[in-house]
Amino acid sequence: MKFFINALVLWPENNANDIKVHHFAVDKINVITGWSGTGKSAIISIIDYVLGAKSCAIPLGPIRDEVAWYGLVLTTDLGVLRIARRKADFRQISPDYWIQQGGELEDKLPRQVGRNASLDDFKVMMDTLSGLSSLRLNPDPDAIGFHERASFRDLAAFNFIPQHIAANPYTMFFKADTHAHKEKLRNVLPLALGIMTNDDLLNLHRHELLRGQLRDIDGQLRRRRGAMNFWRANVTSAFYRAQELGLLPAGAAPEALEPIIAALTLVIDRAGQLASTGTDARTARAVSRIDRIKEEERQLDREIAEAKRRLKRLRGLRSSFSTYDGVLAGQVDRVASFGWMAEAVFSSDSRDCILCGSKSAAAKQVLSELEEPIADLQDIVAGTRKARPMVDRDLIQIESELHEKERRLSNLRQIRREIDASKPALAGGQRLEDVFRFVGSVEQALLNISAIDDDSELMRHRIEIDAEIRELRSLIDTTAKERISKTIKDKIGGEIKIIAEFLNLSDTDANPNLDFNELNIRFDGVDQKRDEWLWEIGSGENWMGYHLSLFLSLHKAFLDRGAANPVPTFLVIDQPSQVYFPSDTFDVSSNNETDARRVRKRSRQDDLQSTRRIFEALAWAAQRLGWRLQIIVLEHADKTAWGDVDNVHCVANWRGEGADYLLPDSWL
């Protein structure tokens, strides 16, 4: 999912103040450097809050008191978006959102904004943009754990490396230091990496649904067989009971089962002769009941046929999504620069062309003419991505309804067979109550035996479901998934090693890799006797370096998925140099020229060289990824640390008198 941050916008609580906009580049390593207390670390909390966090970690004080709305200008697959969220009231987050897109971007950023959407609206939009399935990660509704559907918010773990995480050997991911987030991240990671796909989730849910249908059928068969076995065990007593009622001649009961069943069947066949007259009314009611059942059968037949047609159309529609997504992705790529161009042209009050400098309004005219078709294309893309999860949900729902209708139809047919079989008894007249009760129970038992011996419809349905389950199991093949998982894990491990070697980290010969269960870096022991973990190798430099190596490697794996990547393509890192220059020591260490500290100065020069290597690694990795990953670094170190490293762009320097901090002095 293409997702770049063009700007961070702050709207003041005091309407007399101007809004504050902090811009970011896409094709550079963005660095904001400054003293402590200038608001650098709050940027992660602000971005996270605007992107739908369910709690607000923005620091109390001026950054909360003086800001009314926090906002972002984004570039996504759907074009440029402007989003903002109202500030939290003390400890209560706000559900109020302001969203602009499409033709609304012609105007400049307004001085004031108001609610036009809710937090739920924003989450739905982001979930749709990410292309995540709306199905649960585990189809079993009784599954214990964090198996709800994956959401856009779950992916934030891959976009932030805050200061307290950057060199933490025990926690690798944002907010994964809590049990709930860590458990959910374990379940979401395979979906983010493509080990588990939306198609796999659909197959898992269909498999669970069919297993439920199979259990229902087997339950019916077991109940019928249980009734049959019960009557087989008591068939001799039934034979003697028939003799007592005068329905069979006196004599010893046969030893074999078949003659007894034949004799009891004769009792049923002769029931009409033994019954009294005057059963016309009962017969008429029985016929009327049969007619009603037949009509209900016909109605269910029509509903089942229609459901099967809908199911076929939905399956065909879903199979075409992949091809159509590819076509739309190509179309969106062709107009990817429109949002930037439109914002640059329409935000300028000058008639000068932003490309050639000539006096002309032609650019605005051409862009105005393109707005409508591009907006239509974005609507089609949004509609397509929104429709796919809905189709998945409809497929499961229709299959469930179809199973229920087929079960009802089978029950109706069974009832009609029983009524049809009882017609001879109804025609013969009325007998004593105990005779009819006995005849009815024997008749039902024999019908159950017949149904078990020749229940072709139920068995045929079971065979069809069983065949589909076997087909789904071949698609869900866990062995194949394990191979895919190993392949992806090996690629991530190989990339971690490459970046770690670039950073001159230790233990790269021990094959560092991400353990999907522990969510930490594991090293295969050099002697292959035991594994080692990140917290065992020591050194804050290693801990920080392997964090960077892991995140850059993961984003490469995400980007390798192309249009199927659900993870936002940005990474914000807070103070990676802290392992070399804790707190505010950078200025003191880099500027101290006294002879008494020359030895220490030489070691600090080594630290400066190591810090420079961080920026070299980030720029090198981003360039290898074709600048498809936007990187923002919040750093206490100044340009002395990265020097003339190519493609490192100082967005802001929040130092000294008159420096422009997160909040302007005029706001305070």
mmCIF file of all heavy atoms in Angstrom, residues 34 387 413 448 451 464 479 647:
data_model
loop_
_atom_site.group_PDB
_atom_site.id
_atom_site.type_symbol
_atom_site.label_atom_id
_atom_site.label_comp_id
_atom_site.label_asym_id
_atom_site.label_seq_id
_atom_site.Cartn_x
_atom_site.Cartn_y
_atom_site.Cartn_z
ATOM 1 N N GLY A 34 17.360 18.535 16.714
ATOM 2 C CA GLY A 34 17.121 19.620 17.661
ATOM 3 C C GLY A 34 17.387 19.204 19.085
ATOM 4 O O GLY A 34 17.652 18.037 19.387
ATOM 5 N N ALA A 387 -15.244 -3.644 -2.239
ATOM 6 C CA ALA A 387 -16.178 -4.717 -2.583
ATOM 7 C C ALA A 387 -15.622 -6.093 -2.263
ATOM 8 O O ALA A 387 -16.362 -7.000 -1.898
ATOM 9 C CB ALA A 387 -16.538 -4.637 -4.074
ATOM 10 N N ARG A 413 -39.097 -33.374 3.046
ATOM 11 C CA ARG A 413 -39.259 -34.588 2.235
ATOM 12 C C ARG A 413 -39.391 -35.823 3.121
ATOM 13 O O ARG A 413 -40.141 -36.755 2.816
ATOM 14 C CB ARG A 413 -38.084 -34.721 1.272
ATOM 15 C CG ARG A 413 -38.141 -33.696 0.133
ATOM 16 C CD ARG A 413 -36.902 -33.703 -0.721
ATOM 17 N NE ARG A 413 -37.037 -32.787 -1.851
ATOM 18 C CZ ARG A 413 -36.038 -32.416 -2.644
ATOM 19 N NH1 ARG A 413 -34.812 -32.881 -2.416
ATOM 20 N NH2 ARG A 413 -36.254 -31.591 -3.646
ATOM 21 N N ASN A 448 -37.363 -45.340 10.004
ATOM 22 C CA ASN A 448 -35.987 -44.944 10.335
ATOM 23 C C ASN A 448 -34.987 -45.955 9.806
ATOM 24 O O ASN A 448 -33.937 -45.602 9.274
ATOM 25 C CB ASN A 448 -35.832 -44.802 11.851
ATOM 26 C CG ASN A 448 -36.483 -43.531 12.377
ATOM 27 O OD1 ASN A 448 -36.729 -42.599 11.619
ATOM 28 N ND2 ASN A 448 -36.772 -43.506 13.671
ATOM 29 N N ALA A 451 -34.784 -45.455 6.200
ATOM 30 C CA ALA A 451 -34.063 -44.223 5.860
ATOM 31 C C ALA A 451 -32.557 -44.415 5.975
ATOM 32 O O ALA A 451 -31.793 -43.912 5.158
ATOM 33 C CB ALA A 451 -34.524 -43.092 6.785
ATOM 34 N N GLU A 464 -20.587 -34.965 -1.366
ATOM 35 C CA GLU A 464 -20.222 -33.712 -2.032
ATOM 36 C C GLU A 464 -19.454 -32.796 -1.086
ATOM 37 O O GLU A 464 -18.436 -32.210 -1.469
ATOM 38 C CB GLU A 464 -21.489 -33.011 -2.537
ATOM 39 C CG GLU A 464 -22.175 -33.729 -3.690
ATOM 40 C CD GLU A 464 -23.510 -33.085 -4.034
ATOM 41 O OE1 GLU A 464 -23.926 -32.161 -3.288
ATOM 42 O OE2 GLU A 464 -24.129 -33.496 -5.030
ATOM 43 N N THR A 479 1.790 -27.886 4.979
ATOM 44 C CA THR A 479 3.185 -28.143 4.592
ATOM 45 C C THR A 479 3.655 -27.104 3.596
ATOM 46 O O THR A 479 4.780 -26.583 3.687
ATOM 47 C CB THR A 479 3.317 -29.547 3.993
ATOM 48 O OG1 THR A 479 2.854 -30.517 4.937
ATOM 49 C CG2 THR A 479 4.766 -29.840 3.641
ATOM 50 N N ASN A 647 21.616 12.027 -0.159
ATOM 51 C CA ASN A 647 20.182 11.745 -0.002
ATOM 52 C C ASN A 647 19.701 11.834 1.439
ATOM 53 O O ASN A 647 18.661 11.262 1.775
ATOM 54 C CB ASN A 647 19.832 10.358 -0.575
ATOM 55 C CG ASN A 647 20.100 10.267 -2.063
ATOM 56 O OD1 ASN A 647 19.768 11.191 -2.804
ATOM 57 N ND2 ASN A 647 20.713 9.175 -2.483
#
